[in-house]
Amino acid sequence: MSLIRINNGQLAFGHTPLLDHAQFILESHERVCLVGRNGAGKSSLLKVLAGLQEMDDGTLGMDTGIKIAYLPQDPPRQQQGSVYHYVAQGLAEVGELLERYQSLSLLVAEDPSDKNLSKLHRLQEQMEEHGAWGAEQQISQTLSRLNLNGDTAMGDLSGGWQRRAALARALVRQPDVLLLDEPTNHLDIDAIEWLEEMLKGFAGSIVFVSHDRGFIRRTATRIVDLDRGKLSSFPGDYAHYLVAKEEALRVEEEQAAEFDRKLALEETWIRQGIKARRTRNEGRVRALKAMRQERAERLSRQGNANMRMEGSSLSGKLVFDIKGLGFSWPDKTIVAPMDRIVTRGDRIAMIGPNGCGKSTLIKLLLGELAPQQGEVKQGTKLEVAYFDQHRTDLDLDKSVQDNVAEGKQTVTINGKDRHVLGYLQDFLFAPARARSPVRSLSGGEKNRLLLAKLFLKPANLLVMDEPTNDLDVETLELLEAKLAEYNGTLLLVSHDREFIDNTVTSTWWFGGNGLWHEYVGGYSDAHRLGARFFGEELQQQTSEVADKPAKEEKKSEPVKAKKLSYKLQRELDALPAKMEALEEAIEALQQQIAASGFFDQDPNETNRILAKLAQDEQELEQCFSRWEELETMQNSG
């Protein structure tokens, strides 16, 4: 049975059609994922289905009496009052009665006068009449399922918990249709996995927008693709959609090529000599004009972004040497004393629930925050680029191009000047869009702009805090490919499990009480090795898990260092300076070899310099191995 129907729907903002004679049907007990490029109109379509946005033309039909709940993309950051108050508002009049009852009950407890008792009695009668007692139980159960405290102020919640409160407000209505716009944004992995199970058990129908491929694979029963105003339905799971979509695009390209071939032939015919024009078929002329119009109206598929990273010199082989690092806030431990070594080329994902201290740990590593215990030694020649999930680096009132080029007309990448508009087109910003204020961009476009700024900065240490939010799947996959080519060190904070699996070589997994366990591989590898988010992990993760990662702490107490002999300690203390000197010598030799005319000089001199470079590189490797050996001896006691 169909619940919602769109027939011949049309919607456009400016000259861009978001819906172009679109057809859509939602059946009972479906979980439909709406996919498409950033800016394609997915959020607008959800608003149409929710009755919050009118179409320019076409019809929207709904089954009589169905209840629809809508979860917008952004958390309710400006909401006042308690969580209970906010969730109860989802029940409209009944919710108001419940709030009044709560307030009046507190007043009667303080002042049980006849006047107040009379008011309470009348209110109880109204609640009985509207069936509000069942609604109160419904709110309590929903808050409990989402681990929400109804007395907490909305303003005190993080973005992820505000998102949960918004979901509770939608669910408390017990809707027949649930509309979710990027439901996994601002949620940690634990909450995403809970949401997956909740949606799979939901009794009604769901339409959701998401770019989280793992989430789509686990929840969707049908994919609807929005591409240049057209809606195409792909029954089955996400894997089947990917195959079918690729085939549909191949057929479309072949048809477009055949159309263009015919148009070229007709254009050649119309431009023939006078005799041909005198005898020409007027019907054929009219057909040509129609073809020209069709070609002009044909919207080419938006291309893929063409991201390029600014090159940078290599950092030293040692990036971070972490010894006994510890840090706590008054109410919780962020890092229990831990030891780690991060070397050039490591790609590390930090995984843990919202608020566990991932950003604080990054600040400790970068020297923006002083440790309370232990120390963090940074390697040499570090050039850091930071992707901030809150986009504080963007000036919302400036244009896209001014945010990137800072008022200039060109940007420099890999030593060459490029016009800023050409550079921005690589990130799918057309010239008109590049001149728009950042405030007018969608979330995905803002993230693409932040990547455009980031990739102009030479960096051999890339720190990315939630880079995947709002990015469409094509851009996500391209970003994964670019990170695979990156030869520097990566620190990643993300809740996108598939993105983590495709980009990192190891994970630091928050296990509670400030413990950060280290696992080789991505999210799936760590999960397979026993990593969990739940409280029982703190009791279970002892010897059975501790022996899997080589560097994992067995206890929360700091490891007592073994005292080296005087000779070995002096050797260890001297090695960092020696390695730094070798790295500088290697860099100088490499510059000498890269200079024009190097191989034109005396072959003996050329061979001497090349041999010296090989010798210094070998010595650096030996020093680094010896340094690791002495560090292990010192920390194994």
Side-chain angles (χ1 to χ4, degrees):
M1 182 183 75
S2 64
L3 302 176
I4 303 178
R5 299 162 297 280
I6 292 177
N7 183 42
N8 205 32
Q10 296 188 65
L11 178 65
F13 291 155
H15 297 294
T16 304
L18 301 180
L19 298 178
D20 184 9
H21 301 281
Q23 308 289 135
F24 177 77
I25 295 176
L26 177 66
E27 302 285 352
S28 299
H29 310 298
E30 280 197 296
R31 296 192 298 270
V32 176
C33 179
L34 187 59
V35 300
R37 302 299 296 266
N38 290 140
K42 302 183 296 296
S43 295
S44 297
L45 177 55
L46 277 192
K47 289 176 182 176
V48 168
L49 297 176
L52 302 173
Q53 169 79 52
E54 288 189 4
M55 295 186 294
D56 299 330
D57 201 359
T59 58
L60 173 66
M62 296 188 186
D63 245 21
T64 307
I66 68 167
K67 286 190 290 185
I68 297 176
Y70 168 65
L71 180 73
Q73 190 174 120
D74 294 319
R77 297 191 187 281
Q78 306 304 320
Q79 286 293 326
Q80 303 298 317
S82 68
V83 170
Y84 185 95
H85 169 85
Y86 174 71
V87 172
Q89 286 176 344
L91 293 172
E93 186 178 352
V94 172
E96 284 183 37
L97 289 173
L98 288 170
E99 288 180 65
R100 284 168 54 197
Y101 177 75
Q102 267 201 336
S103 301
L104 196 52
S105 297
L106 291 172
L107 182 60
V108 167
E110 294 175 3
D111 178 16
S113 64
D114 290 343
K115 181 181 177 182
N116 286 340
L117 287 170
S118 176
K119 283 182 181 178
L120 184 62
H121 179 68
R122 287 197 301 273
L123 183 57
Q124 286 173 331
E125 288 179 344
Q126 284 181 275
M127 291 177 67
E128 194 81 45
E129 191 180 321
H130 287 85
W133 298 115
E136 182 180 32
Q137 185 180 7
Q138 200 173 309
I139 292 174
S140 299
Q141 287 175 346
T142 304
L143 291 175
S144 176
R145 284 168 62 199
L146 289 164
N147 295 320
L148 286 163
N149 184 342
D151 297 327
T152 305
M154 285 294 291
D156 292 342
L157 297 179
S158 66
W161 285 101
Q162 287 176 342
R163 191 78 164 151
R164 283 199 189 207
L167 184 59
R169 177 172 163 150
L171 290 173
V172 80
R173 296 188 60 199
Q174 294 185 321
D176 302 295
V177 177
L178 193 55
L179 306 175
L180 307 173
D181 195 352
E182 294 286 4
T184 62
N185 273 8
H186 309 285
L187 294 185
D188 54 42
I189 294 177
D190 189 22
I192 291 171
E193 291 179 343
W194 170 87
L195 180 61
E196 287 171 355
E197 294 306 311
M198 190 279 295
L199 294 182
K200 285 191 277 188
F202 181 68
S205 294
I206 304 168
V207 181
F208 67 97
V209 173
S210 182
H211 298 130
D212 184 326
R213 292 158 293 179
F215 182 77
I216 298 171
R217 292 182 204 278
R218 291 172 178 86
T219 54
T221 58
R222 177 161 67 104
I223 308 294
V224 171
D225 183 88
L226 178 55
D227 187 1
R228 292 158 288 172
K230 303 294 185 185
L231 288 171
S232 304
S233 179
F234 297 87
D237 59 22
Y238 186 63
H240 285 95
Y241 157 73
L242 291 175
V243 174
K245 177 66 174 178
E246 186 175 357
E247 175 62 15
L249 289 174
R250 186 191 65 77
V251 171
E252 180 187 331
E253 287 176 3
E254 286 182 357
Q255 291 174 343
E258 178 62 18
F259 178 92
D260 291 344
R261 187 187 67 79
K262 289 180 180 178
L263 178 58
L265 289 174
E266 294 302 290
E267 292 286 5
T268 301
W269 170 78
I270 199 71
R271 289 179 175 81
Q272 286 178 350
I274 292 174
K275 181 180 178 182
R277 287 202 297 273
R278 282 192 191 131
T279 60
R280 69 188 173 199
N281 183 315
E282 290 301 324
R284 191 172 175 183
V285 173
R286 286 193 295 272
L288 173 59
K289 289 180 179 178
M291 289 178 74
R292 287 173 175 170
Q293 181 65 23
E294 183 180 343
R295 180 63 185 87
E297 292 175 355
R298 189 172 83 202
L299 286 170
S300 296
R301 184 169 182 268
Q302 188 182 29
N304 287 326
N306 183 25
M307 303 174 185
R308 292 188 182 89
M309 293 186 183
E310 169 73 5
S312 173
S313 59
L314 293 176
S315 68
K317 186 150 188 177
L318 175 69
V319 178
F320 296 116
D321 180 12
I322 305 166
K323 292 182 180 177
L325 176 64
F327 190 88
S328 299
W329 295 120
D331 58 336
K332 63 181 173 182
T333 303
I334 301 298
V335 185
M338 75 172 191
D339 299 310
R340 290 282 192 280
I341 292 173
V342 179
T343 59
R344 183 176 65 223
D346 283 352
R347 299 157 181 269
I348 301 165
M350 296 179 182
I351 298 178
N354 289 333
C356 73
K358 298 184 291 290
S359 297
T360 303
L361 178 53
I362 286 175
K363 288 178 180 178
L364 289 165
L365 297 182
L366 297 181
E368 297 175 9
L369 198 60
Q372 294 164 345
Q373 293 176 259
E375 63 177 346
V376 177
K377 290 181 182 177
Q378 292 187 2
T380 58
K381 303 172 191 168
L382 289 184
E383 296 179 275
V384 182
Y386 199 118
F387 183 99
D388 173 22
Q389 64 164 317
H390 302 295
R391 306 172 185 138
T392 53
D393 206 25
L394 298 180
D395 188 328
L396 299 182
D397 296 316
K398 285 185 178 179
S399 69
V400 172
Q401 69 179 75
D402 284 344
N403 265 271
V404 169
E406 299 177 347
K408 296 182 288 188
Q409 293 299 308
T410 59
V411 294
T412 303
I413 184 162
N414 292 327
K416 296 180 181 178
D417 286 344
R418 283 196 67 189
H419 197 282
V420 63
L421 295 181
Y423 176 70
L424 285 170
Q425 282 182 305
D426 288 347
F427 290 81
L428 304 182
F429 291 103
R433 198 64 171 150
R435 296 186 181 97
S436 304
V438 171
R439 193 177 299 280
S440 68
L441 301 183
S442 68
E445 287 174 315
K446 286 175 183 171
N447 269 17
R448 264 195 274 122
L449 175 58
L450 204 54
L451 288 172
K453 285 196 70 169
L454 187 77
F455 289 171
L456 283 174
K457 187 176 181 181
N460 48 39
L461 174 59
L462 195 55
V463 182
M464 307 194 87
D465 190 358
E466 292 292 354
T468 65
N469 280 352
D470 304 312
L471 290 181
D472 56 48
V473 172
E474 289 90 341
T475 307
L476 271 178
E477 290 175 346
L478 181 64
L479 179 57
E480 287 173 353
K482 291 301 173 187
L483 290 177
E485 298 169 2
Y486 181 59
N487 61 2
T489 305
L490 173 67
L491 298 180
L492 173 69
V493 174
S494 178
H495 298 136
D496 187 323
R497 294 156 293 181
E498 196 157 326
F499 187 81
I500 292 171
D501 283 343
N502 292 340
T503 52
V504 306
T505 55
S506 63
T507 58
W508 293 2
W509 190 294
F510 184 77
N513 293 338
L515 292 174
W516 291 89
H517 306 296
E518 186 174 8
Y519 297 88
V520 174
Y523 170 83
S524 299
D525 297 302
H527 201 268
R528 190 166 54 252
L529 289 169
R532 296 291 184 271
F533 290 114
F534 311 110
E536 62 263 25
E537 181 188 30
L538 302 181
Q539 285 77 44
Q540 293 173 353
Q541 266 184 329
T542 53
S543 59
E544 64 182 72
V545 176
D547 61 356
K548 289 173 183 172
K551 302 170 190 173
E552 185 174 333
E553 300 84 9
K554 295 183 181 178
K555 295 180 182 179
S556 60
E557 295 86 7
V559 177
K560 292 181 181 179
K562 180 180 180 180
K563 189 170 178 67
L564 296 173
S565 69
Y566 175 73
K567 182 179 178 182
L568 290 179
Q569 186 63 53
R570 284 197 62 184
E571 183 184 359
L572 175 61
D573 293 341
L575 277 172
K578 185 176 181 181
M579 288 190 292
E580 185 175 348
L582 282 168
E583 285 174 342
E584 288 176 357
I586 288 168
E587 185 177 4
L589 289 169
Q590 287 172 337
Q591 289 177 354
Q592 200 174 343
I593 293 167
S596 60
F598 172 76
F599 290 97
D600 295 336
Q601 61 183 330
D602 187 322
N604 291 331
E605 180 64 13
T606 301
N607 292 333
R608 185 190 67 78
I609 294 172
L610 291 172
K612 175 63 174 167
L613 175 63
Q615 179 187 331
D616 285 357
E617 287 176 337
Q618 183 179 2
E619 187 176 355
L620 178 61
E621 288 293 330
Q622 291 170 347
C623 286
F624 191 78
S625 297
R626 180 59 174 164
W627 177 81
E628 282 187 318
E629 180 186 354
L630 292 173
E631 281 281 311
T632 303
M633 289 170 59
Q634 187 180 51
N635 294 326
S636 63

